[in-house]
Amino acid sequence: MSTGSGAASAPAPDGHDDPTAPDTPRTSRTSMFASLKVRNYRLFFMGQVVSNIGTWMQRIAQDWLVLSLTGSSAAVGITTALQFLPMLLFGLYGGVLVDRLRKRPTLLVTQSAMALTALFLAVLTLTGHVQVWHVYVAAFAMGLATVVDNPARQSFVSELVGRDQLQNAVSLNSANFQSARLVGPAVAGLMITGVGTGWAFLANGLSFVAPLSCLLLMRARDLHAVQRAPRGKGQLREGLHYVAGRPELIWTITLVGFIGTFGFNFPVFLSAFADDVFDAGAGAYSLFNTLMAVGSLAGALLAARRGTARLRVLIAAAVAFGALEIVAATAPGLWLFALLMVPIGVFSMTVNVTANTSIQMSTDPAMRGRVMALYMMVFLGGSPVGAPIVGWVTDTYGARVGFAAGGAVAATAAIVIGLVLARVGNLRLSVGWHRGHPQVRFVPRERREALAPAA
């Protein structure tokens, strides 16, 4: 493991690791849990298992508490908006800060802040003094901590495992989060029903003991050292110029923006299908979300087996994701629609993991905090921005049209951006046979004939 001082820029990738490199018949596989062999990452992963379950518990408890206090769905929406608002307003500044600071001490501060916020809500709720404005303040405070915590956690992964195992580690992080998505809401439901929302907040606050302990137990000498950005003026503008000058970054972030804004608004789509199309109520809505979480978990584990993150995988997964949404929109029955949630979950997670990994692998380590902050701002901020739009389309033209429109935007954006990246890289589409199987890949224009697989 690297214990040096790090480099001023990312290592020059070879043709196999570069996500913008032309495709070759060669594929790279790795053990599904390879990065867990790294002690520091194993500690990080274990801490996140506990913390993610607590986070999902708090999300459910927070929404239920606001609904109980106000009886208003609009108030629940305000709470969600307040939690995402800091990322939209200050996300890029958080990335600048992360690039200047050491990641592990930064995470100790942000995780502690989120723990105190959860405990604050727990005390107010358990003592019977909680009011809705308290929840608003707590949601906004949690969002402020996330402004720094998100890019710090994303960029810290590369310091834990290094470049070679980055995709595997990012994929396992996603699998970790999706596993918690299956467990956390169920535990929260039992706890809220049995003892009340205050205990769910307390459980989340205490869950932060796990990641804080694991961060303290890590060996600093085993981290892959990265040169930090010096304090200076114009660093936010510098980060934006850096992204704008690299097609593999700006177009990947643009694609994620389109998909996150129009394709990932599942609360709008799935609730409308459960209520309006199939008239099946909350049980069907829960079933749709559970099956999608199962597919997302499978997608994250499959991504963990891939050794590299290629943009062709991102484009193909985005096209498949959009196409499946269109197909699901036309599903005549509830069970067919529900089953389609599994492959939609698989491809949505493939898009997420591949975009995340390719951006990190293509970014100078000194810029990684700012670039990941921009990525997370677009990714997390897209759904709240797009929700009113897709909600209006769904209300006006029906759930089927709304879902199909979201899928059409995602697929169209993927196709257009794929063609743009191919043109920028002077690539052409090559269709042929390799070892008895059809193969579609991009090759350099001048080498198309030489690299075309034999029929």
Side-chain angles (χ1 to χ4, degrees), residues 10-22 24 26 28 163-164 307-310 361:
D14 59 29
H16 182 56
D17 289 334
D18 184 0
T20 62
T24 66
R26 177 184 174 189
S28 177
R163 180 184 177 85
D164 290 344
T308 58
R310 291 192 178 277
M361 292 179 68

Side-chain angles (χ1 to χ4, degrees), residues 181-255:
R181 182 181 174 185
L182 292 171
V183 176
V187 175
L190 292 174
M191 189 169 286
I192 292 168
T193 302
V195 293
T197 55
W199 293 99
F201 295 135
L202 180 62
N204 183 43
L206 295 177
S207 75
F208 284 96
V209 172
L212 289 170
S213 300
C214 290
L215 285 167
L216 291 171
L217 289 171
M218 289 180 184
R219 295 172 182 160
R221 66 179 182 274
D222 289 343
L223 294 175
H224 293 249
V226 172
Q227 180 176 328
R228 300 196 302 275
R231 184 183 298 273
K233 295 182 179 180
Q235 290 182 321
L236 176 57
R237 186 169 58 253
E238 180 188 11
L240 292 174
H241 286 168
Y242 178 84
V243 172
R246 299 177 68 95
E248 72 276 18
L249 295 180
I250 186 63
W251 288 111
T252 299
I253 292 174
T254 300
L255 176 58

Side-chain angles (χ1 to χ4, degrees), residues 39 66 105 107 127 138 192 194 202 252 300 342 345 349 376-377 429 443:
R39 180 182 182 275
V66 171
L107 288 171
T127 58
I192 292 168
L202 180 62
T252 299
V342 176
M349 186 52 58
M376 295 306 299
M377 185 179 74
L429 190 67
V443 298

Side-chain angles (χ1 to χ4, degrees), residues 148-166:
V148 177
D149 185 79
N150 246 326
R153 272 190 299 110
Q154 296 288 332
S155 54
F156 188 49
V157 173
S158 64
E159 296 186 26
L160 293 170
V161 301
R163 180 184 177 85
D164 290 344
Q165 297 193 66
L166 181 60

